[in-house]
Amino acid sequence: MKTIKFFTIALTAGIITVSCSSDDDNSTPPPVINEEEVITTVIVELLGGVGQEITLRSVDDDGPDGPNPPVITMEGDDFDPNEVYLADITFLNETEDPAEDITEEVEEEDDEHQVFFTVSDGLNITTEYDNFDGNDNPLGTQFTLNTGEVSTGNFTITLRHEPTKPNTGLADAGGETDIEVTFPIEILE
């Protein structure tokens, strides 16, 4: 009887020891999950000349991973030659109701984002950054677009997450592309 009692006490102590052991491994912290934002819509509002207004819009209703391409539109006036346009970019997630303004997050995390502008050969457009992060590196949700002589081509806007800053442009920026949209542009006489 003493043997059974001793065996029962030893077994119970072993179970308590195992159940109280720590499964925590403090050597590696849990991974940080930073989900990418869904951006379905890019709106570029340009103001130039004497009250001239142009809106470029890219809407991808089924999201960036959907099978349908975005719908690209241009509203308002035509681009005039040799004109200066002040521009604001808005990034939206319209899969949410109401639509989520991703621009706010991009501007709050300005050191982790940069907008890049690419112009196809033959299109007479140059751009200048009008807003910057806390280290005076370009952000680009506000910019100036300068047109040259009559021409046509493509104007591409790329939002990068965690690019190398400073950089000399999209080619050496690194990071991940949050969204990239291309607008066909005509500068008309």
Side-chain angles (χ1 to χ4, degrees):
M1 191 71 158
K2 284 184 180 182
T3 305
I4 294 175
K5 209 179 211 186
F6 176 74
F7 180 71
T8 304
I9 291 171
L11 184 61
T12 303
I15 291 172
I16 291 172
T17 302
V18 170
S19 67
C20 292
S21 71
S22 173
D23 291 333
D24 294 338
D25 181 4
N26 293 331
S27 62
T28 55
V32 175
I33 298 172
N34 187 6
E35 293 183 26
E36 283 186 33
E37 296 290 348
V38 173
I39 300 173
T40 60
T41 305
V42 178
I43 302 168
V44 184
E45 295 177 297
L46 301 111
L47 181 61
V50 182
Q52 185 183 23
E53 295 181 15
I54 300 171
T55 301
L56 305 175
R57 187 181 311 267
S58 171
V59 179
D60 194 352
D61 285 335
D62 60 357
D65 297 328
N68 299 321
V71 175
I72 307 291
T73 59
M74 181 178 131
E75 303 160 7
D77 301 309
D78 292 326
F79 284 96
D80 288 336
N82 304 307
E83 186 62 67
V84 176
Y85 296 89
L86 301 179
D88 287 301
I89 302 175
T90 302
F91 299 103
L92 299 174
N93 175 2
E94 293 189 302
T95 63
E96 301 286 326
D97 187 20
E100 179 182 8
D101 188 348
I102 305 299
T103 315
E104 294 173 5
E105 180 178 327
V106 169
E107 291 176 344
E108 285 172 6
E109 299 174 359
D110 56 5
D111 61 326
E112 297 177 13
H113 294 91
Q114 185 173 347
V115 179
F116 294 89
F117 310 103
T118 309
V119 179
S120 66
D121 289 340
L123 180 60
N124 294 319
I125 284 180
T126 60
T127 59
E128 299 168 30
Y129 288 97
D130 288 344
N131 64 343
F132 301 85
D133 67 17
N135 296 313
D136 288 329
N137 292 309
L139 175 57
T141 55
Q142 298 174 350
F143 67 100
T144 300
L145 184 144
N146 301 291
T147 60
E149 297 301 316
V150 171
S151 59
T152 61
N154 291 322
F155 177 60
T156 302
I157 294 175
T158 306
L159 174 62
R160 282 281 173 96
H161 182 74
E162 295 187 344
T164 300
K165 287 188 173 188
N167 57 61
T168 59
L170 189 56
D172 75 335
E176 300 210 5
T177 299
D178 284 338
I179 192 162
E180 182 174 88
V181 296
T182 300
F183 297 100
I185 301 290
E186 289 184 313
I187 301 171
L188 302 173
E189 198 58 64

